[in-house]
Amino acid sequence: MNSFHTLLILRQCANFCKCEAEALISSLPPTAADANLVNTQTIEVKIEGMTCSMCSQALMNAVRAMDGVIECHISAISGTGNISFNTDSNVTPDAIVEEIEDTGYGASLVRKNDENDEWDEEEEMLEKSNARQAAQVREKRSLFLHSLIAVVPIVFFTMILPYLLTCSNNDGDMGSGTKSGTDCFAEEIWAGTSVTPITILLTVLASYVQFYLGWPFYRSTFHSLARRSALGMDVLICVGTSAAYFYALILTLLLALDRDDNDGHESMDEQKHHGIHFFETSSVLISFVLLGHWLQASALSRTSGAIAKLVQLQPKTAILITPKNTEDMEQKSKIGKVQDDLAVGTVEDGFDPGIHFYDEKEVSIKQIKPGDILKIVRGASIPCDCVVISGQLSVNESVMTGESIPTLKTPQNNSMCLGGTVCVEGLAFTRATSTGSNTALHQILNLIHAAQYNTPPIQSLADRISSIFVPAVVAVSLLTLVVWLIAGSSSVEDALLFAISVLVISCPCALGLAVPTAVMVGTGVGASHGVLVKDAAALQCAAGVRHVILDKTGTVTVGTPSVQTLIKCDGDDLGVSLPSEEWHVNDILWFMAVLERNSEHPLARAIVDFAMTECEEYLEKYPLSQPMEGSFVAVTGKGASCRVVNTVDGGTNVRVAVGNRAFAKVLGIDLSERVHVEMSRLEELGQTAVFCAINGRICAVIGIADAIRPDAKVAISYLVEKFNVKVWMVTGDNKRTAKAVASKIGIPEERLVSEALPAAKVRIVQDLQDQGNAVVMVGDGINDSPALAQADVGIAIASGKSVEIAAEASDMVIIGNQHSVWDIVIALDLARLIFRRIKLNFVWALVYNCLGIPVAAGVFYPLLKWRLSPTLASIAMALSSISVVSSSLMLKLHQPPRMPEARS
């Protein structure tokens, strides 16, 4: 995360939570981007004609050189570019397109990031991108098939037919009048002239392949040389095939001038006839290069399979519900408020399909707007983000979050249904909350799309190697030619073949594909497991991380207070008639729920939720009542009390109170020694201790805390043992609670920081970075955003209302309804896996070139008689790129690490 991004997040945090973030702003270095951000426009450009990463590098250099361009990312894999520029400068979208076209490539605008422009639907854009890739595959296949039409006759007449004739002559009369295969080709079949019809045919076919099918190589080479930009593989292909073609053409012209007066120069005549075979060399080279481009394009089209899978999740239509009778709805709204506690499948939404008349119509999802009522049936894909207002659904969210167990969605739990997920069971009516490009599905697609434009720092190494690769290979090829000619042990043809093989086998494409293919496949795999990679640079940082800092609330813990302990105080006389002879926990919970359901305090909500869960059958028999009118009293920071009419025994008036020690003093309630001991014990465990008193007598002590996620200890132990990292917990909670949580999850006290404000979290990250450590920060709220932005790798837990700012500040986002600390293990494991695959791809590319070039140059020929013809060299060159792409595609087989059994 750069300092400018950190500055923005700190300002956002200061605006939202009034923290100490402003104290850090002045310490950040200034950036020129600050002046350009306000008037920045981003465009996406479709680019045609790129064949390798060197093409994209040359284009980026050209576009970045334009005054006013802030950022430029171009992907040779997807054939698109994402360019940001200052609108106050002379740069315009048309000027950028013109610059790209001047570089020798086709360009057209895809979309403009401007609020005044109409945005295409994200799905349509991705479909167009997939269509472009499919068209490129078809185009490259067509070029290869067209080359076969010319190459097959060339190979037949230059290699197969002479061989067959030679074998035939060897089986027959081998006297002095027998001709060799070449002689048969030149004289015996079409004798009488030095230029035969087949020679003309070979020249025409080879010229067709060289200049028509091979024109893109010449065009790319011309523009690279004219603009002095990075030289790519096209230059090597152009130089190598041109050398072979023009060598064959010159010898063919010399043969045409020969009037059969050899004057004993049989060797020269033989050399001229052999020179025609170089038509086969140049044509077959281009044909195999085109085959490699076709196979490479086919493989690359599969690297975006995860994105295509996500796009297919979006249904085309939705069932729109239109209520008919507004008056009935208003009446139902009043009824719903009264029956809220007993209603199942309805909320105070004003619409009940069991009572109201309505029309339903299948419409395009483009017509859906936030607030519309939608009907979801079994087996249907949910059309947009929505909440259930009636009925219930069991939703399979595995394609979005990686969670295989369906999630129950009901009005009571206010569950969010994500667009693109599938209803496996049930029927419900939902209200749309986000549509179009605002849905979670489209935001995920945007994140993946943006991440695949980014490259980790190691890509710069590949770019530097590639920038000098082609000139170095040309120099090695010329050196090979000169050495073999000076050695005198080989003919000019052999020396030229060695030099051409060096040009052809060298493949900078494999280097260029090593990083982007791994990033594209890996980010897609991550999305299928609920991990979104926003910045590819984080992959490299995560591979070398040594410190992981965890926020407590919402990361290590669930993020919502819940009842952890309930201690019943036996022996106290309630002074009321209870429905059962013995004092039962359900009775106590019933009184507490009646009181606390009228409070908005989080602890009150925790008590009510606990009672509703633990006493489900009891509440069906004895529904909750309401406090007596005017009796409810809440004292801020202490507790609440009320009078309750006990409807179970016929209307007994009962005083119920729930609160802390200070509230007991307010009410004049004496806490026994046992109650003091129990409350102190719970507080030592990091729980908030409260009492429940009925008619002034203590009947229970309750411990409430933010529950620790059940996998926290196992995940942290795995990070320490398997990843060899030091795990910290930094929280704004008090020291006692923080210490209790840390001790339960295995974090030592020296790596625990409590009562830390957002600015303090940033300082902790900076201190570790100043010691030369790579730091991962994991958090889920606005208060974590500054530290997420400052860390080398920021991981945001996508939950809660403040997730948008936290996700904006992070490099990776974990999505899903049921988060776990183990998701952090999955995210870091994925990052390390992708970076390891990038390094493996580099090994494939570099080792291939280091071994292939010496073999092609004939270094081993004098001793081992090993040589590599240009044809085989072209096959090897194509296989090098395909091997790198296949290596990246193997990432699709990755399965995240399984969580081991919890240790006692």
Side-chain angles (χ1 to χ4, degrees):
M1 194 73 62
N2 58 49
S3 60
F4 178 62
H5 198 177
T6 306
L7 174 64
L8 292 181
I9 300 303
L10 287 173
R11 286 177 175 170
Q12 283 181 310
C13 185
N15 291 333
F16 276 88
C17 56
K18 308 300 181 184
C19 66
E20 296 180 359
E22 288 294 344
L24 294 174
I25 294 177
S26 59
S27 65
L28 295 176
T31 173
D34 198 6
N36 293 332
L37 181 67
V38 177
N39 299 316
T40 297
Q41 182 179 349
T42 300
I43 61 172
E44 187 171 352
V45 182
K46 170 189 172 184
I47 303 173
E48 298 177 350
M50 291 189 293
T51 58
C52 68
S53 63
M54 298 304 298
C55 300
S56 60
Q57 186 63 36
L59 280 174
M60 285 191 288
N61 292 339
V63 175
R64 286 171 179 169
M66 301 176 66
D67 291 335
V69 172
I70 300 172
E71 198 170 20
C72 174
H73 296 286
I74 294 176
S75 171
I77 297 177
S78 61
T80 57
N82 198 281
I83 303 162
S84 299
F85 60 94
N86 185 0
T87 55
D88 293 335
S89 65
N90 294 327
V91 175
T92 63
D94 292 337
I96 293 174
V97 170
E98 184 178 351
E99 179 70 17
I100 294 175
E101 292 175 341
D102 290 343
T103 310
Y105 301 90
S108 59
L109 290 175
V110 175
R111 70 178 183 185
K112 298 180 178 180
N113 189 1
D114 190 334
E115 295 181 355
N116 296 325
D117 295 327
E118 293 185 1
W119 280 64
D120 291 332
E121 292 290 335
E122 185 69 24
E123 179 184 359
E124 294 178 359
M125 294 175 56
L126 288 170
E127 288 179 350
K128 291 177 181 178
S129 176
N130 292 336
R132 289 198 301 269
Q133 288 186 336
Q136 290 177 359
V137 172
R138 290 193 299 269
E139 179 185 0
K140 295 182 186 300
R141 180 183 62 185
S142 177
L143 289 174
F144 169 67
L145 295 178
H146 277 80
S147 70
L148 284 183
I149 297 175
V151 168
V152 170
I154 292 174
V155 172
F156 177 77
F157 285 114
T158 58
M159 298 181 65
I160 300 176
L161 183 60
Y163 174 78
L164 294 176
L165 291 176
T166 299
C167 293
S168 177
N169 288 334
N170 289 337
D171 293 338
D173 183 9
M174 298 299 294
S176 57
T178 302
K179 304 291 184 180
S180 66
T182 303
D183 292 332
C184 294
F185 174 81
E187 297 180 10
E188 292 186 3
I189 300 178
W190 289 286
T193 61
S194 297
V195 178
T196 63
I198 196 61
T199 304
I200 297 176
L201 177 62
L202 292 178
T203 304
V204 172
L205 292 177
S207 300
Y208 167 75
V209 174
Q210 185 70 30
F211 298 109
Y212 180 74
L213 300 180
W215 169 246
F217 303 120
Y218 282 98
R219 180 185 60 193
S220 177
T221 300
F222 170 77
H223 286 288
S224 296
L225 295 175
R227 300 182 65 88
R228 299 180 181 178
S229 56
L231 303 179
M233 187 191 71
D234 291 348
V235 176
L236 300 179
I237 301 302
C238 181
V239 174
T241 58
S242 295
Y245 172 82
F246 285 107
Y247 179 74
L249 182 64
I250 291 173
L251 293 183
T252 300
L253 293 176
L254 293 176
L255 186 64
L257 298 176
D258 189 357
R259 298 299 181 181
D260 290 335
D261 51 348
N262 293 330
D263 295 331
H265 298 290
E266 291 293 336
S267 61
M268 179 60 69
D269 185 64
E270 186 74 13
Q271 185 175 357
K272 294 175 183 177
H273 286 291
H274 276 296
I276 299 176
H277 288 245
F278 274 83
F279 282 138
E280 168 261 327
T281 300
S282 64
S283 300
V284 171
L285 280 180
I286 291 178
S287 181
F288 274 111
V289 170
L290 295 176
L291 172 62
H293 285 178
W294 174 29
L295 297 178
Q296 178 179 316
S298 299
L300 290 176
S301 66
R302 292 192 291 272
T303 61
S304 58
I307 298 179
K309 185 177 180 179
L310 287 175
V311 171
Q312 293 171 359
L313 298 177
Q314 180 70 66
K316 304 294 184 183
T317 59
I319 301 177
L320 178 64
I321 300 299
T322 305
K324 283 186 175 181
N325 195 326
T326 304
E327 294 181 358
D328 286 348
M329 289 181 60
E330 293 177 352
Q331 181 63 28
K332 174 58 186 175
S333 179
K334 298 178 182 179
I335 299 175
K337 292 178 181 179
V338 176
Q339 298 181 345
D340 177 69
D341 299 314
L342 301 178
V344 177
T346 60
V347 296
E348 298 177 17
D349 189 81
F351 173 74
D352 183 354
I355 294 180
H356 302 118
F357 295 103
Y358 60 86
D359 291 329
E360 63 178 66
K361 180 180 180 182
E362 188 172 1
V363 299
S364 170
I365 59 169
K366 296 181 180 180
Q367 300 179 27
I368 302 300
K369 303 181 297 296
D372 286 345
I373 299 175
L374 307 175
K375 181 180 179 181
I376 309 297
V377 298
R378 179 178 180 179
S381 293
I382 296 176
C384 63
D385 295 351
C386 54
V387 292
V388 176
I389 61 174
S390 179
Q392 60 183 15
L393 300 173
S394 182
V395 180
N396 184 350
E397 298 178 323
S398 59
V399 291
M400 296 281 285
T401 66
E403 300 167 5
S404 58
I405 301 176
T407 305
L408 181 65
K409 310 289 185 179
T410 66
Q412 283 73 27
N413 58 23
N414 198 28
S415 299
M416 173 67 71
C417 299
L418 299 179
T421 55
V422 179
C423 171
V424 295
E425 189 177 4
L427 183 148
F429 293 81
T430 65
R431 185 172 298 280
T433 58
S434 299
T435 61
S437 60
N438 294 322
T439 62
L441 174 62
H442 284 272
Q443 291 174 3
I444 291 172
L445 290 172
N446 287 335
L447 287 174
I448 299 175
H449 188 64
Q452 293 175 348
Y453 275 119
N454 297 327
T455 56
I458 196 173
Q459 177 65 43
S460 60
L461 173 62
D463 294 339
R464 288 196 298 270
I465 295 175
S466 299
S467 64
I468 62 174
F469 187 86
V470 173
V473 168
V474 173
V476 171
S477 177
L478 291 176
L479 180 63
T480 300
L481 177 64
V482 172
V483 169
W484 279 107
L485 289 177
I486 294 176
S489 58
S490 300
S491 64
V492 175
E493 292 181 6
D494 288 336
L496 189 58
L497 286 174
F498 282 127
I500 293 174
S501 295
V502 170
L503 290 172
V504 174
I505 199 173
S506 305
C507 185
C509 276
L511 278 173
L513 292 171
V515 176
T517 55
V519 170
M520 176 168 283
V521 178
T523 51
V525 171
S528 66
H529 292 296
V531 179
L532 301 182
V533 180
K534 293 176 55 184
D535 188 355
L539 301 174
Q540 184 169 346
C541 294
V545 70
R546 287 294 173 263
H547 291 267
V548 175
I549 300 177
L550 305 177
D551 174 54
K552 181 182 75 70
T553 306
T555 303
V556 173
T557 63
V558 176
T560 303
S562 60
V563 174
Q564 303 295 309
T565 307
L566 174 62
I567 302 172
K568 185 175 65 170
C569 298
D570 295 323
D572 287 344
D573 182 12
L574 291 179
V576 296
S577 174
L578 295 174
S580 60
E581 295 181 359
E582 297 183 359
W583 184 1
H584 198 277
V585 172
N586 288 343
D587 308 325
I588 301 173
L589 291 177
W590 187 89
F591 284 112
M592 294 173 63
V594 170
L595 166 64
E596 298 291 11
R597 67 198 296 261
N598 293 276
S599 173
E600 297 180 356
H601 196 281
L603 299 185
R605 184 73 261 174
I607 293 174
V608 174
D609 290 342
F610 182 75
M612 299 294 287
T613 302
E614 296 295 321
C615 310
E616 185 175 356
E617 295 183 0
Y618 185 90
L619 292 177
E620 290 181 1
K621 185 177 181 180
Y622 303 107
L624 295 177
S625 63
Q626 294 288 338
M628 295 180 62
E629 186 176 355
S631 68
F632 179 82
V633 177
V635 180
T636 303
K638 296 181 180 180
S641 65
C642 72
R643 287 195 171 274
V644 179
V645 176
N646 186 3
T647 57
V648 176
D649 71 344
T652 305
N653 188 335
V654 178
R655 165 68 67 177
V656 182
V658 176
N660 55 22
R661 290 184 178 90
F663 194 52
K665 291 182 179 180
V666 172
L667 299 179
I669 298 176
D670 293 330
L671 301 180
S672 66
E673 182 178 355
R674 182 197 172 190
V675 172
H676 275 295
V677 170
E678 294 294 352
M679 294 183 75
S680 298
R681 183 178 65 84
L682 294 179
E683 289 168 348
E684 289 297 326
L685 294 175
Q687 300 177 14
T688 299
V690 296
F691 67 84
C692 173
I694 299 179
N695 286 343
R697 301 180 62 85
I698 305 298
C699 61
V701 175
I702 304 96
I704 303 174
D706 188 0
I708 298 174
R709 295 186 187 273
D711 64 339
K713 185 174 183 179
V714 176
I716 291 172
S717 176
Y718 192 93
L719 288 172
V720 173
E721 296 178 5
K722 300 296 184 181
F723 288 5
N724 192 27
V725 300
K726 295 180 180 179
V727 181
W728 295 64
M729 188 176 79
V730 180
T731 176
D733 210 339
N734 64 77
K735 185 176 182 179
R736 183 180 58 191
T737 302
K739 185 177 179 180
V741 173
S743 64
K744 292 180 180 179
I745 61 178
I747 292 180
E749 192 170 350
E750 61 268 20
R751 289 199 289 273
L752 170 64
V753 180
S754 58
E755 300 177 358
L757 295 175
K761 294 182 180 181
V762 174
R763 291 192 183 94
I764 294 170
V765 174
Q766 289 174 335
D767 290 342
L768 291 174
Q769 290 173 329
D770 291 341
Q771 299 171 16
N773 299 306
V775 180
V776 169
M777 175 68 195
V778 185
D780 72 326
I782 293 177
N783 62 323
D784 301 318
S785 299
L788 289 171
Q790 177 64 39
D792 298 279
V793 181
I795 301 178
I797 307 295
S799 62
K801 298 180 180 179
S802 59
V803 66
E804 292 184 4
I805 293 179
E808 175 65 24
S810 65
D811 303 295
M812 304 173 73
V813 181
I814 296 175
I815 61 175
N817 283 329
Q818 298 178 358
H819 303 292
S820 67
V821 184
W822 191 254
D823 291 334
I824 302 170
V825 174
I826 294 175
L828 293 180
D829 177 75
L830 177 68
R832 293 188 172 202
L833 173 68
I834 295 174
F835 190 67
R836 286 198 303 268
R837 189 52 53 95
I838 289 173
K839 292 191 289 186
L840 177 62
N841 289 348
F842 273 122
V843 171
W844 274 108
L846 291 175
V847 170
Y848 161 82
N849 282 290
C850 292
L851 295 180
I853 291 177
V855 173
V859 172
F860 304 105
Y861 183 73
L863 296 176
L864 304 176
K865 300 302 179 183
W866 288 358
R867 67 180 301 169
L868 201 63
S869 69
T871 301
L872 292 178
S874 65
I875 296 175
M877 181 271 297
L879 291 177
S880 68
S881 296
I882 295 173
S883 66
V884 168
V885 176
S886 300
S887 173
S888 297
L889 288 173
M890 292 293 288
L891 287 171
K892 290 187 174 183
L893 303 179
H894 169 68
Q895 293 296 326
R898 292 186 176 182
M899 183 170 58
E901 295 294 333
R903 302 177 182 176
S904 58

